[in-house]
Amino acid sequence: MQIRDSLRVLVENGTLKPGTRIPSSRQLALDIGVSRSVVVEAYGQLAAEGYLTSRHGSGTTVTDHAGIGTAASSLALPAEEPAHDARWDLRTGTASTVDFPRKEWLRCMTSVITEAGRKELGYAPPAGVPLTRHVLTGYLGRVRGVRNRPEDLMITAGFAQGLALVCKVLLDRGHTTLAVEDPGHPGEREFISSSGLRPVGVPVDGHGIDMDRLEASGTRAALVTPANQFPTGVRLSRERRERLIGWAREVDGYILEDDFDSAFLDPADRLPALQSLAPERVVYAGSASKILAPALRLGWLVGPPELMASIEHVRAGWDIGCSGLEQLALARLIDTGAFDRHQRRLRSEFRRRRQTVRTQLDIHLPDAWLLGGTSGLQAYVRLPPHIDEHSLVRAARHRSVLLRGGHHYSVSGTAHPPALVISYATANCAALSLSLAQVGEAYREQPDQHGTGRR
């Protein structure tokens, strides 16, 4: 019973993963000093309960469906329906890893390793390699107008770690809430809640976050996506930008600017970073996850000196920094111009994909309309008011197309006009044409106001 119960707990809490091979009954009996028959009986009971499976010549392993609880979802990958049995996945949260500049990255990494000495191969400062911080400071100033010094920039393990660090410092300073855009990123809300802060949803309209509602919310910190609001794609207007900065100064608070996809916006379609208006009130956050690949785990925070000092203090107690070699490779990629060239290629490709979405919507969903500008990573498609968003999403799923409705991104749970959010990060133009044709078929089958099919 002790052996059975101990192994059962290890399987149920996820310590022993599906497919894990466990010791043979003979070996475990020797290890813990009991009769082999005792272990054989324990294994037999666990096999009967569905926790273990034994195959001749392969030993005993944890089964693939051993009653394991759902693990907590991460910021980037919320628990959701698997995509392995669908032909097209148009859900947000993915990155175009097939476009990763392998040759350029390999060339930069090879140069870095070849030239690396004792210092480069040792531990980097927790805030990041000084050279990379210097290069990133110049780069962000050049392309986004970010005003900062290298010592006020920290290299993070992606945006998620940066958000966690900011939340911890805000909590330490007496904040209990953090305003978030509604609609917005559901994973970020869960992440904020787990940090100890309460996310407060503030509606978004055609000009960005609703400042009247923000000012009435009682919060003193806000997380926003001003360059290209997620998921609607609207830009924070100039008037709202100035008013948002004024609010932060008045409440002695901070703004966390998530600049998640500015690299995919046409230069004529974007304003300088919000941080450029008030470096003392805005923490600017970005990452290489969508530009290069999430696996690199490279992001950055830029903030006012007094806040960054607190963030660095917290960081020092969490880890000892990111890979110094990969930081140096990123710096070289930027210095050689390869980073800029890669982004230009991506912008051209994603501009074509967005135009394909627009064309296919005109053909297959003629009563719907596309919000936002002419670039970005996803399309927010407003549906006619009589369309049942959930029914359309289910119908598309039956046609092997995975996508999400606008309700998925709602913070308050209040009714929003029906919408679809279509990501084209991993679907090329041909895949978009085929998949949206299927969505159009599902759309035409939806009942109209009179309860009949749209055909």
Side-chain angles (χ1 to χ4, degrees):
M1 290 175 62
Q2 289 176 339
I3 295 170
R4 180 200 63 194
D5 292 347
S6 297
L7 285 172
R8 182 190 290 146
V9 168
L10 292 174
V11 171
E12 289 179 343
N13 68 19
T15 302
L16 293 179
K17 307 293 185 185
T20 300
R21 184 171 180 175
I22 64 173
S24 67
S25 57
R26 187 185 305 277
Q27 184 60 54
L28 185 59
L30 288 172
D31 289 344
I32 61 179
V34 299
S35 168
R36 182 188 176 195
S37 62
V38 175
V39 179
V40 169
E41 184 173 353
Y43 280 11
Q45 291 187 28
L46 289 168
E49 294 172 7
Y51 288 89
L52 301 179
T53 183
S54 297
R55 293 186 179 90
H56 182 69
S58 300
T60 302
T61 59
V62 178
T63 60
D64 292 336
H65 52 281
I68 300 172
T70 301
S73 61
S74 71
L75 172 60
L77 297 171
E80 59 186 356
E81 181 182 15
H84 59 81
D85 59 343
R87 185 176 180 187
W88 300 286
D89 190 350
L90 305 184
R91 298 174 298 183
T92 57
T94 55
S96 183
T97 54
V98 297
D99 296 313
F100 181 70
R102 288 172 169 80
K103 292 182 179 179
E104 292 88 346
W105 184 261
L106 181 60
R107 188 179 301 115
C108 292
M109 183 61 82
T110 301
S111 298
V112 166
I113 293 174
T114 301
E115 299 171 9
R118 181 180 300 177
K119 179 180 178 182
E120 289 76 17
L121 293 174
Y123 290 108
V129 175
L131 174 61
T132 304
R133 295 165 74 186
H134 175 79
V135 170
L136 263 175
T137 296
Y139 167 78
L140 294 174
R142 172 171 60 86
V143 302
R144 298 297 293 125
V146 173
R147 297 159 53 194
N148 75 299
R149 306 174 303 165
E151 51 267 39
D152 298 327
L153 184 149
M154 173 183 286
I155 307 294
T156 63
F159 175 78
Q161 186 183 50
L163 177 59
L165 288 165
V166 173
C167 286
K168 178 64 170 66
V169 170
L170 290 176
L171 198 64
D172 290 345
R173 295 185 174 208
H175 290 253
T176 59
T177 59
L178 178 62
V180 296
E181 297 167 324
D182 184 8
H185 195 307
E188 289 180 354
R189 298 196 298 273
E190 295 175 9
F191 203 78
I192 292 165
S193 296
S194 67
S195 76
L197 295 174
R198 179 171 61 88
V200 176
V202 180
V204 170
D205 59 24
H207 301 285
I209 193 167
D210 186 329
M211 287 305 305
D212 289 336
R213 298 287 290 273
L214 177 60
E215 291 165 352
S217 68
T219 61
R220 294 192 300 114
L223 169 61
V224 296
T225 51
N228 188 37
Q229 200 277 328
F230 181 87
T232 66
V234 301
R235 277 43 163 180
L236 187 65
S237 68
R238 293 180 184 271
E239 185 273 332
R240 296 265 180 104
R241 287 159 65 94
E242 294 172 359
R243 190 170 168 185
L244 181 59
I245 294 297
W247 164 82
R249 287 171 174 156
E250 183 177 346
V251 300
D252 190 24
Y254 294 101
I255 302 162
L256 177 56
E257 178 179 11
D258 179 4
D259 202 29
F260 72 101
D261 73 343
S262 63
F264 300 92
L265 305 181
D266 291 332
D269 201 24
R270 64 188 179 199
L271 293 171
L274 187 68
Q275 189 269 358
S276 65
L277 299 178
E280 79 285 1
R281 289 294 170 190
V282 180
V283 179
Y284 176 89
S287 82
S289 295
K290 291 180 175 60
I291 307 172
L292 295 175
L296 295 178
R297 307 311 307 137
L298 287 173
W300 41 87
L301 284 180
V302 177
E306 53 91 17
L307 193 66
M308 292 306 296
S310 298
I311 290 175
E312 189 165 350
H313 176 75
V314 171
R315 175 76 181 277
W318 285 10
D319 60 30
I320 53 176
C322 309
S323 165
L325 293 177
E326 290 186 345
Q327 291 182 52
L328 289 169
L330 175 63
R332 186 162 300 231
L333 195 72
I334 294 172
D335 265 346
T336 60
F339 197 52
D340 284 328
R341 291 192 294 274
H342 175 62
Q343 290 181 65
R344 285 196 293 271
R345 289 193 296 268
L346 288 180
R347 280 197 295 272
S348 296
E349 171 60 22
F350 282 93
R351 191 184 307 115
R352 287 191 291 270
R353 294 184 188 183
R354 188 173 181 87
Q355 183 55 48
T356 298
V357 171
R358 187 180 297 276
T359 300
Q360 295 301 316
L361 289 176
D362 288 343
I363 296 172
H364 300 293
L365 284 80
D367 299 328
W369 63 98
L370 188 62
L371 268 65
T374 60
S375 51
L377 286 174
Q378 72 281 329
Y380 193 88
V381 182
R382 186 69 59 79
L383 300 170
H386 61 275
I387 292 293
D388 185 328
E389 171 191 303
H390 299 286
S391 175
L392 179 56
V393 170
R394 287 194 301 270
R397 176 67 182 84
H398 289 311
R399 293 180 174 276
S400 206
V401 183
L402 292 179
L403 43 71
R404 295 192 180 102
H407 183 76
H408 176 82
Y409 303 89
S410 174
V411 176
S412 60
T414 56
H416 288 278
L420 297 177
V421 180
I422 299 171
S423 169
Y424 41 88
T426 58
N428 61 24
C429 293
L432 287 168
S433 296
L434 292 170
S435 58
L436 291 178
Q438 293 300 314
V439 174
E441 287 292 321
Y443 176 77
R444 286 188 286 274
E445 292 172 356
Q446 299 301 300
D448 60 21
Q449 299 98 318
H450 305 290
T452 59
R454 293 183 59 81
R455 289 185 184 278

